Amino acid sequence: MKVFLFLVLLPTTVLSLKIGLFLEDSDIAESIVDVSQYALDQIGSTLEIVTRVYSKTYTSLLEQLCALLEDGVVAVVSASGSTFTAVEAQVVSQFDVPYIAAVATNPYLKTEESDFLLLMAPSDIYQCQAIFDLMKQYNWYDFTVMASADDRGINGMVYLQYLVSRDSDFSIIDVQHFDVSKGINEESFMSELQEIKNSLARIIVLNCAAKYAKLIFNAAKRMGLMEDDFVWIVSDSIAGDQEKISYSGSYPSYYEGIFGTVPSYGQDSATLTSFTDRYILGHGGSSSNIMMSSVLVADALAMIHTSLPSNVNTEPSLSCSSPAAWSDGQSFLNSIFGATYEGLSSTVDFNDEGVSKSTSYDIMNFRSGFQKVGSWSSSSGLELQTENIVFAGGSENPPSGYGSTLSGYHLRIGVVQEPPIAFLNQSCVDTTKPSCWTGWNPDIIAKLAVELNFTYEFIENQRYGGYDSETGTWNGIIGDIINKTTDLTMALTISTERSAFIDFTHSFFEDEASFVVVAPTGQSSANAFFFLLPFDISVWLSVIGLVVILSILMTCLSKLSPYGKYGAKKYALQTCQCEGCLERRKHKLRKKNTGCAVDKVEEVDSLNDMSFYNSLFNIGTGFVGQGGETLPSAPSGRFLVFSWWLFVMILTSMYTANLTAHLTLERSTISIVEMIDLLDQDTYTWGLIKDRNLESMMRSRNSDFAQLVNTGVALESLQDGIDRVAEGSFVFIDDSSVLSYNFKDDCTVMQTYTGKFSNEWAFGLQMNSPYKDLINTYFLQFREEGYFTEVWNKWYSTETGCSGETAGSRIYGHQNIWNPIVFFLINNMASENTILPLTLC
């Protein structure tokens, strides 16, 4: 431990008062003392500087601080960091001795126990505002924070998080703190840097000691986090101490483009330049001694000299063993509050809270060392010299702040083997390899990997994921994504329940619930006269009676109507009185009495075409779309035929429709139209695959659907459902697309679409996943290009292996067709044996 005690005595008749200078044991302690003493000499101060240096332990700090107070100092100026300043301020304030912290920036140091604390350097509140405005200037709205898990790292970024909370444009992607209480090397930061890499952050704000930053930059370079599209913004503890991030005075090229902030301490002012020249030329000092800490300490000492009341002429008599307040301490503090001093750094004055009114920061940009490229102040805001700024890789164009690819990333994809969504090559030993998987989703993943330039592996699970309300946990690939063992999942149906635990990409497919069941098939046992079934027996008898009646009616109309051929001739013969007509009537009479069959054949009267036999044939052929050999010529007969044909057309249509219905599946054999119909029958059992979204949706819909789930079979897998359907008398309920594909070649299965439980499919991601926006961008592009439809059609073929027989069709054997044939033959023989004798007689 080094202890410096400097007593500077100037010739004076006034009692020389003492000022305490409290420093950490470091390489710059002697430089601070030398510059401070020279600065006081320049203004002719009679104050003595008593310096104490402590090693970086609390024990040493308390010992040296008490020794300093017991030396009788009227004020203490410290160059300690914020962590040790918090302790020093509380100790000194007990004695009512003014305490000026020259370089501490923690905005939360001022407490009731440290009411004599004065802060020279701008607080981290202003540094956060400067960093915030810098990011806003370049539209870097999404960023991550990496900081040491100590007072400097944690408190230094609190206000930045507050600013983000007030601006909806900004978002902190991630905050990573690393432990500095143990031994530090490059490996100490790997887990935090990996999290930052996974977050896709391109803007990284780093707040820690410079000695840690050097190791962090090197590790970040190895992980690809110092590439051209990244931006690092460091706090004053790094930018203001750049020697500690150098390698023997030189800097790696990947430092180029780093931004930083340092409190302004008059680097460009004529006052500091003139002082530096005098210090070097007149005092023989080194220019390296003129640094922020030495300049601020010098100004703090000069401020005490300027504001010291004339009535303070006695040394305090203080002891840490019996603390007692200094009687002149409060008046001295009030005098400092009212004083103003034009110092080397800037105008030195304090507000009522004991904080310096100087609130300016320099904006630094690394180009072979940190160079000033702008400034920030609470009054004028951010001012940049953009022409002097370079970014990573020496580019003059600012990065967008967003990653456009996933180059260098390796994603773990959760997958369930389920056709056509994903097929697993059974010969594969290592199922994590992408080459082992094909199908709808693997194709989408493969295209996404090409577009975003990432590598990936598949993590197989047997379930999509169900929620256990008792344990509050999920299983399946949803559980994997929640537990962060995977980064992305294959297609999942989106639900409110799932959305509370995981994120989803844009949807790319829509589906609904349906169910499948084996329909009755086999040889028909239908009635032998199945072709008569469309009409009741009473209908058939009525039709037969109607045919007979119409035949008689048509015959009568043709015979009696004077407008028909026969009727017209008959009427003429009966009314005509000429000799020819009389002879014809006699001739007709003789013909009637001969009784000769040959004469009848030879003398057939063509006007007698519409006999009962011909009329019956004419009416009957109307059923088969044919007309008789002759048609009525009388208007009444023609109207009758027209009406009959119209009636036959309607009757034939009804017959054809009913016969078709009887030749197909009788719906009464399967009474399940809606899923809830299953609850009212005992012929079929049913089931759903457990731990799927459909099961959850049905449970929450209403009591009937919940009962359907609770009383059904909880299937272990898709294959389990397929096997049970094949066994018969089992209804399998699932997503329509899955059932359609897996049963398309099973001709015995009938699928019923419910129109219920519509859902959308999307990929699942970890909550607040950084990959979401990037993947969504490409999903929108895929949709516009029609890729999703293309890849779906590739795997979801609607062609089936069924030919001829379809699900639920009735097969008619030869015995069924033989019955109509026999009926036809019998009918034909009866006609020949009955009508032929009538025509010959």
PDB file of all heavy atoms in Angstrom, residues 292-323:
ATOM      1  N   MET A 292      -8.598  13.354 -17.706  1.00  0.00           N
ATOM      2  CA  MET A 292      -9.865  13.786 -17.136  1.00  0.00           C
ATOM      3  C   MET A 292      -9.827  13.800 -15.621  1.00  0.00           C
ATOM      4  O   MET A 292     -10.250  14.775 -14.984  1.00  0.00           O
ATOM      5  CB  MET A 292     -10.996  12.875 -17.614  1.00  0.00           C
ATOM      6  CG  MET A 292     -12.374  13.284 -17.090  1.00  0.00           C
ATOM      7  SD  MET A 292     -13.693  12.172 -17.611  1.00  0.00           S
ATOM      8  CE  MET A 292     -13.270  10.698 -16.663  1.00  0.00           C
ATOM      9  N   SER A 293      -9.327  12.732 -15.006  1.00  0.00           N
ATOM     10  CA  SER A 293      -9.341  12.651 -13.545  1.00  0.00           C
ATOM     11  C   SER A 293      -8.465  13.718 -12.914  1.00  0.00           C
ATOM     12  O   SER A 293      -8.865  14.355 -11.921  1.00  0.00           O
ATOM     13  CB  SER A 293      -8.902  11.261 -13.097  1.00  0.00           C
ATOM     14  OG  SER A 293      -7.649  10.936 -13.652  1.00  0.00           O
ATOM     15  N   SER A 294      -7.272  13.966 -13.475  1.00  0.00           N
ATOM     16  CA  SER A 294      -6.378  14.965 -12.871  1.00  0.00           C
ATOM     17  C   SER A 294      -6.927  16.375 -13.044  1.00  0.00           C
ATOM     18  O   SER A 294      -6.816  17.215 -12.136  1.00  0.00           O
ATOM     19  CB  SER A 294      -4.980  14.857 -13.479  1.00  0.00           C
ATOM     20  OG  SER A 294      -5.023  15.094 -14.876  1.00  0.00           O
ATOM     21  N   VAL A 295      -7.538  16.656 -14.197  1.00  0.00           N
ATOM     22  CA  VAL A 295      -8.104  17.979 -14.443  1.00  0.00           C
ATOM     23  C   VAL A 295      -9.297  18.236 -13.523  1.00  0.00           C
ATOM     24  O   VAL A 295      -9.432  19.329 -12.942  1.00  0.00           O
ATOM     25  CB  VAL A 295      -8.523  18.122 -15.916  1.00  0.00           C
ATOM     26  CG1 VAL A 295      -9.314  19.407 -16.128  1.00  0.00           C
ATOM     27  CG2 VAL A 295      -7.302  18.105 -16.814  1.00  0.00           C
ATOM     28  N   LEU A 296     -10.198  17.236 -13.366  1.00  0.00           N
ATOM     29  CA  LEU A 296     -11.375  17.412 -12.509  1.00  0.00           C
ATOM     30  C   LEU A 296     -10.968  17.548 -11.045  1.00  0.00           C
ATOM     31  O   LEU A 296     -11.575  18.333 -10.290  1.00  0.00           O
ATOM     32  CB  LEU A 296     -12.327  16.240 -12.693  1.00  0.00           C
ATOM     33  CG  LEU A 296     -13.030  16.159 -14.050  1.00  0.00           C
ATOM     34  CD1 LEU A 296     -13.910  14.909 -14.129  1.00  0.00           C
ATOM     35  CD2 LEU A 296     -13.880  17.400 -14.320  1.00  0.00           C
ATOM     36  N   VAL A 297      -9.948  16.805 -10.595  1.00  0.00           N
ATOM     37  CA  VAL A 297      -9.464  16.937  -9.212  1.00  0.00           C
ATOM     38  C   VAL A 297      -8.886  18.328  -9.001  1.00  0.00           C
ATOM     39  O   VAL A 297      -9.143  18.984  -7.962  1.00  0.00           O
ATOM     40  CB  VAL A 297      -8.421  15.854  -8.901  1.00  0.00           C
ATOM     41  CG1 VAL A 297      -7.685  16.180  -7.590  1.00  0.00           C
ATOM     42  CG2 VAL A 297      -9.086  14.498  -8.797  1.00  0.00           C
ATOM     43  N   ALA A 298      -8.112  18.814  -9.973  1.00  0.00           N
ATOM     44  CA  ALA A 298      -7.524  20.150  -9.861  1.00  0.00           C
ATOM     45  C   ALA A 298      -8.601  21.210  -9.751  1.00  0.00           C
ATOM     46  O   ALA A 298      -8.511  22.148  -8.947  1.00  0.00           O
ATOM     47  CB  ALA A 298      -6.616  20.417 -11.054  1.00  0.00           C
ATOM     48  N   ASP A 299      -9.666  21.085 -10.564  1.00  0.00           N
ATOM     49  CA  ASP A 299     -10.764  22.055 -10.499  1.00  0.00           C
ATOM     50  C   ASP A 299     -11.508  21.961  -9.177  1.00  0.00           C
ATOM     51  O   ASP A 299     -11.978  22.984  -8.644  1.00  0.00           O
ATOM     52  CB  ASP A 299     -11.734  21.827 -11.656  1.00  0.00           C
ATOM     53  CG  ASP A 299     -11.230  22.440 -12.961  1.00  0.00           C
ATOM     54  OD1 ASP A 299     -10.220  23.168 -12.928  1.00  0.00           O
ATOM     55  OD2 ASP A 299     -11.856  22.168 -14.012  1.00  0.00           O
ATOM     56  N   ALA A 300     -11.661  20.753  -8.622  1.00  0.00           N
ATOM     57  CA  ALA A 300     -12.343  20.591  -7.337  1.00  0.00           C
ATOM     58  C   ALA A 300     -11.548  21.274  -6.223  1.00  0.00           C
ATOM     59  O   ALA A 300     -12.123  21.970  -5.358  1.00  0.00           O
ATOM     60  CB  ALA A 300     -12.524  19.111  -7.030  1.00  0.00           C
ATOM     61  N   LEU A 301     -10.222  21.116  -6.226  1.00  0.00           N
ATOM     62  CA  LEU A 301      -9.383  21.770  -5.219  1.00  0.00           C
ATOM     63  C   LEU A 301      -9.447  23.283  -5.359  1.00  0.00           C
ATOM     64  O   LEU A 301      -9.537  24.025  -4.358  1.00  0.00           O
ATOM     65  CB  LEU A 301      -7.943  21.289  -5.359  1.00  0.00           C
ATOM     66  CG  LEU A 301      -7.696  19.805  -5.035  1.00  0.00           C
ATOM     67  CD1 LEU A 301      -6.290  19.394  -5.432  1.00  0.00           C
ATOM     68  CD2 LEU A 301      -7.921  19.533  -3.553  1.00  0.00           C
ATOM     69  N   ALA A 302      -9.432  23.738  -6.620  1.00  0.00           N
ATOM     70  CA  ALA A 302      -9.507  25.176  -6.856  1.00  0.00           C
ATOM     71  C   ALA A 302     -10.857  25.731  -6.417  1.00  0.00           C
ATOM     72  O   ALA A 302     -10.946  26.862  -5.910  1.00  0.00           O
ATOM     73  CB  ALA A 302      -9.255  25.469  -8.326  1.00  0.00           C
ATOM     74  N   MET A 303     -11.926  24.961  -6.588  1.00  0.00           N
ATOM     75  CA  MET A 303     -13.262  25.384  -6.161  1.00  0.00           C
ATOM     76  C   MET A 303     -13.307  25.557  -4.653  1.00  0.00           C
ATOM     77  O   MET A 303     -13.914  26.512  -4.133  1.00  0.00           O
ATOM     78  CB  MET A 303     -14.294  24.346  -6.620  1.00  0.00           C
ATOM     79  CG  MET A 303     -15.729  24.692  -6.226  1.00  0.00           C
ATOM     80  SD  MET A 303     -16.298  26.198  -7.058  1.00  0.00           S
ATOM     81  CE  MET A 303     -18.043  26.151  -6.642  1.00  0.00           C
ATOM     82  N   ILE A 304     -12.666  24.639  -3.917  1.00  0.00           N
ATOM     83  CA  ILE A 304     -12.629  24.743  -2.464  1.00  0.00           C
ATOM     84  C   ILE A 304     -11.861  25.991  -2.048  1.00  0.00           C
ATOM     85  O   ILE A 304     -12.269  26.734  -1.137  1.00  0.00           O
ATOM     86  CB  ILE A 304     -11.994  23.478  -1.867  1.00  0.00           C
ATOM     87  CG1 ILE A 304     -12.934  22.287  -2.069  1.00  0.00           C
ATOM     88  CG2 ILE A 304     -11.673  23.670  -0.385  1.00  0.00           C
ATOM     89  CD1 ILE A 304     -12.348  20.964  -1.640  1.00  0.00           C
ATOM     90  N   HIS A 305     -10.743  26.258  -2.734  1.00  0.00           N
ATOM     91  CA  HIS A 305      -9.970  27.469  -2.446  1.00  0.00           C
ATOM     92  C   HIS A 305     -10.813  28.720  -2.662  1.00  0.00           C
ATOM     93  O   HIS A 305     -10.785  29.658  -1.856  1.00  0.00           O
ATOM     94  CB  HIS A 305      -8.735  27.506  -3.352  1.00  0.00           C
ATOM     95  CG  HIS A 305      -8.073  28.841  -3.408  1.00  0.00           C
ATOM     96  ND1 HIS A 305      -7.209  29.306  -2.422  1.00  0.00           N
ATOM     97  CD2 HIS A 305      -8.161  29.856  -4.333  1.00  0.00           C
ATOM     98  CE1 HIS A 305      -6.794  30.514  -2.739  1.00  0.00           C
ATOM     99  NE2 HIS A 305      -7.359  30.872  -3.903  1.00  0.00           N
ATOM    100  N   THR A 306     -11.573  28.731  -3.755  1.00  0.00           N
ATOM    101  CA  THR A 306     -12.362  29.907  -4.099  1.00  0.00           C
ATOM    102  C   THR A 306     -13.506  30.140  -3.117  1.00  0.00           C
ATOM    103  O   THR A 306     -13.813  31.288  -2.754  1.00  0.00           O
ATOM    104  CB  THR A 306     -12.936  29.757  -5.520  1.00  0.00           C
ATOM    105  OG1 THR A 306     -11.872  29.580  -6.435  1.00  0.00           O
ATOM    106  CG2 THR A 306     -13.774  30.956  -5.916  1.00  0.00           C
ATOM    107  N   SER A 307     -14.134  29.085  -2.656  1.00  0.00           N
ATOM    108  CA  SER A 307     -15.356  29.216  -1.860  1.00  0.00           C
ATOM    109  C   SER A 307     -15.112  29.160  -0.355  1.00  0.00           C
ATOM    110  O   SER A 307     -16.069  29.283   0.411  1.00  0.00           O
ATOM    111  CB  SER A 307     -16.329  28.093  -2.240  1.00  0.00           C
ATOM    112  OG  SER A 307     -15.734  26.821  -2.036  1.00  0.00           O
ATOM    113  N   LEU A 308     -13.872  29.006   0.077  1.00  0.00           N
ATOM    114  CA  LEU A 308     -13.599  28.894   1.509  1.00  0.00           C
ATOM    115  C   LEU A 308     -13.922  30.210   2.222  1.00  0.00           C
ATOM    116  O   LEU A 308     -13.369  31.254   1.889  1.00  0.00           O
ATOM    117  CB  LEU A 308     -12.130  28.534   1.728  1.00  0.00           C
ATOM    118  CG  LEU A 308     -11.719  28.229   3.168  1.00  0.00           C
ATOM    119  CD1 LEU A 308     -12.399  26.953   3.670  1.00  0.00           C
ATOM    120  CD2 LEU A 308     -10.204  28.075   3.265  1.00  0.00           C
ATOM    121  N   PRO A 309     -14.835  30.176   3.182  1.00  0.00           N
ATOM    122  CA  PRO A 309     -15.212  31.410   3.893  1.00  0.00           C
ATOM    123  C   PRO A 309     -14.024  31.955   4.697  1.00  0.00           C
ATOM    124  O   PRO A 309     -13.187  31.203   5.210  1.00  0.00           O
ATOM    125  CB  PRO A 309     -16.341  30.956   4.815  1.00  0.00           C
ATOM    126  CG  PRO A 309     -16.824  29.661   4.246  1.00  0.00           C
ATOM    127  CD  PRO A 309     -15.614  29.032   3.639  1.00  0.00           C
ATOM    128  N   SER A 310     -13.981  33.258   4.840  1.00  0.00           N
ATOM    129  CA  SER A 310     -12.877  33.896   5.565  1.00  0.00           C
ATOM    130  C   SER A 310     -12.929  33.608   7.050  1.00  0.00           C
ATOM    131  O   SER A 310     -11.913  33.675   7.746  1.00  0.00           O
ATOM    132  CB  SER A 310     -12.914  35.412   5.325  1.00  0.00           C
ATOM    133  OG  SER A 310     -14.176  35.935   5.752  1.00  0.00           O
ATOM    134  N   ASN A 311     -14.120  33.289   7.557  1.00  0.00           N
ATOM    135  CA  ASN A 311     -14.236  33.054   8.989  1.00  0.00           C
ATOM    136  C   ASN A 311     -13.838  31.640   9.390  1.00  0.00           C
ATOM    137  O   ASN A 311     -13.884  31.276  10.556  1.00  0.00           O
ATOM    138  CB  ASN A 311     -15.660  33.341   9.473  1.00  0.00           C
ATOM    139  CG  ASN A 311     -16.687  32.444   8.785  1.00  0.00           C
ATOM    140  OD1 ASN A 311     -16.382  31.784   7.791  1.00  0.00           O
ATOM    141  ND2 ASN A 311     -17.917  32.444   9.318  1.00  0.00           N
ATOM    142  N   VAL A 312     -13.502  30.827   8.384  1.00  0.00           N
ATOM    143  CA  VAL A 312     -13.041  29.480   8.705  1.00  0.00           C
ATOM    144  C   VAL A 312     -11.521  29.541   8.819  1.00  0.00           C
ATOM    145  O   VAL A 312     -10.811  29.621   7.812  1.00  0.00           O
ATOM    146  CB  VAL A 312     -13.455  28.469   7.608  1.00  0.00           C
ATOM    147  CG1 VAL A 312     -12.884  27.099   7.929  1.00  0.00           C
ATOM    148  CG2 VAL A 312     -14.963  28.412   7.500  1.00  0.00           C
ATOM    149  N   ASN A 313     -11.041  29.548  10.018  1.00  0.00           N
ATOM    150  CA  ASN A 313      -9.597  29.666  10.225  1.00  0.00           C
ATOM    151  C   ASN A 313      -9.066  28.697  11.274  1.00  0.00           C
ATOM    152  O   ASN A 313      -7.999  28.880  11.821  1.00  0.00           O
ATOM    153  CB  ASN A 313      -9.210  31.102  10.614  1.00  0.00           C
ATOM    154  CG  ASN A 313     -10.043  31.602  11.797  1.00  0.00           C
ATOM    155  OD1 ASN A 313     -10.590  30.801  12.566  1.00  0.00           O
ATOM    156  ND2 ASN A 313     -10.151  32.924  11.918  1.00  0.00           N
ATOM    157  N   THR A 314      -9.880  27.707  11.561  1.00  0.00           N
ATOM    158  CA  THR A 314      -9.437  26.696  12.522  1.00  0.00           C
ATOM    159  C   THR A 314      -9.571  25.314  11.899  1.00  0.00           C
ATOM    160  O   THR A 314     -10.488  25.052  11.112  1.00  0.00           O
ATOM    161  CB  THR A 314     -10.284  26.731  13.811  1.00  0.00           C
ATOM    162  OG1 THR A 314     -11.655  26.507  13.467  1.00  0.00           O
ATOM    163  CG2 THR A 314     -10.139  28.085  14.503  1.00  0.00           C
ATOM    164  N   GLU A 315      -8.639  24.443  12.224  1.00  0.00           N
ATOM    165  CA  GLU A 315      -8.702  23.090  11.725  1.00  0.00           C
ATOM    166  C   GLU A 315      -9.731  22.286  12.508  1.00  0.00           C
ATOM    167  O   GLU A 315      -9.826  22.419  13.715  1.00  0.00           O
ATOM    168  CB  GLU A 315      -7.332  22.407  11.855  1.00  0.00           C
ATOM    169  CG  GLU A 315      -6.252  23.025  11.002  1.00  0.00           C
ATOM    170  CD  GLU A 315      -4.950  22.268  11.162  1.00  0.00           C
ATOM    171  OE1 GLU A 315      -4.894  21.354  12.014  1.00  0.00           O
ATOM    172  OE2 GLU A 315      -4.002  22.567  10.411  1.00  0.00           O
ATOM    173  N   PRO A 316     -10.475  21.431  11.829  1.00  0.00           N
ATOM    174  CA  PRO A 316     -11.390  20.544  12.541  1.00  0.00           C
ATOM    175  C   PRO A 316     -10.603  19.555  13.382  1.00  0.00           C
ATOM    176  O   PRO A 316      -9.516  19.110  12.996  1.00  0.00           O
ATOM    177  CB  PRO A 316     -12.137  19.826  11.414  1.00  0.00           C
ATOM    178  CG  PRO A 316     -11.888  20.621  10.177  1.00  0.00           C
ATOM    179  CD  PRO A 316     -10.554  21.251  10.366  1.00  0.00           C
ATOM    180  N   SER A 317     -11.156  19.238  14.502  1.00  0.00           N
ATOM    181  CA  SER A 317     -10.546  18.216  15.359  1.00  0.00           C
ATOM    182  C   SER A 317     -11.481  17.006  15.337  1.00  0.00           C
ATOM    183  O   SER A 317     -12.493  16.968  16.050  1.00  0.00           O
ATOM    184  CB  SER A 317     -10.369  18.748  16.787  1.00  0.00           C
ATOM    185  OG  SER A 317      -9.812  17.744  17.613  1.00  0.00           O
ATOM    186  N   LEU A 318     -11.140  16.048  14.495  1.00  0.00           N
ATOM    187  CA  LEU A 318     -12.044  14.933  14.248  1.00  0.00           C
ATOM    188  C   LEU A 318     -11.366  13.619  14.584  1.00  0.00           C
ATOM    189  O   LEU A 318     -10.144  13.473  14.499  1.00  0.00           O
ATOM    190  CB  LEU A 318     -12.484  14.921  12.777  1.00  0.00           C
ATOM    191  CG  LEU A 318     -13.085  16.232  12.245  1.00  0.00           C
ATOM    192  CD1 LEU A 318     -13.319  16.122  10.748  1.00  0.00           C
ATOM    193  CD2 LEU A 318     -14.391  16.546  12.966  1.00  0.00           C
ATOM    194  N   SER A 319     -12.223  12.637  14.947  1.00  0.00           N
ATOM    195  CA  SER A 319     -11.704  11.305  15.249  1.00  0.00           C
ATOM    196  C   SER A 319     -12.769  10.278  14.892  1.00  0.00           C
ATOM    197  O   SER A 319     -13.944  10.438  15.252  1.00  0.00           O
ATOM    198  CB  SER A 319     -11.342  11.176  16.732  1.00  0.00           C
ATOM    199  OG  SER A 319     -11.009   9.829  17.034  1.00  0.00           O
ATOM    200  N   CYS A 320     -12.368   9.222  14.192  1.00  0.00           N
ATOM    201  CA  CYS A 320     -13.320   8.179  13.802  1.00  0.00           C
ATOM    202  C   CYS A 320     -13.761   7.360  15.003  1.00  0.00           C
ATOM    203  O   CYS A 320     -14.817   6.717  14.963  1.00  0.00           O
ATOM    204  CB  CYS A 320     -12.682   7.245  12.769  1.00  0.00           C
ATOM    205  SG  CYS A 320     -12.539   7.987  11.132  1.00  0.00           S
ATOM    206  N   SER A 321     -12.971   7.383  16.061  1.00  0.00           N
ATOM    207  CA  SER A 321     -13.356   6.614  17.243  1.00  0.00           C
ATOM    208  C   SER A 321     -14.490   7.279  17.994  1.00  0.00           C
ATOM    209  O   SER A 321     -15.274   6.615  18.684  1.00  0.00           O
ATOM    210  CB  SER A 321     -12.145   6.437  18.160  1.00  0.00           C
ATOM    211  OG  SER A 321     -11.629   7.708  18.555  1.00  0.00           O
ATOM    212  N   SER A 322     -14.594   8.618  17.877  1.00  0.00           N
ATOM    213  CA  SER A 322     -15.713   9.342  18.508  1.00  0.00           C
ATOM    214  C   SER A 322     -16.181  10.422  17.551  1.00  0.00           C
ATOM    215  O   SER A 322     -15.797  11.575  17.658  1.00  0.00           O
ATOM    216  CB  SER A 322     -15.257   9.967  19.828  1.00  0.00           C
ATOM    217  OG  SER A 322     -14.117  10.800  19.622  1.00  0.00           O
ATOM    218  N   PRO A 323     -17.006  10.007  16.554  1.00  0.00           N
ATOM    219  CA  PRO A 323     -17.441  10.950  15.520  1.00  0.00           C
ATOM    220  C   PRO A 323     -18.174  12.149  16.108  1.00  0.00           C
ATOM    221  O   PRO A 323     -19.047  12.007  16.975  1.00  0.00           O
ATOM    222  CB  PRO A 323     -18.377  10.105  14.656  1.00  0.00           C
ATOM    223  CG  PRO A 323     -17.981   8.685  14.924  1.00  0.00           C
ATOM    224  CD  PRO A 323     -17.564   8.661  16.360  1.00  0.00           C
TER     225      PRO A 323
END
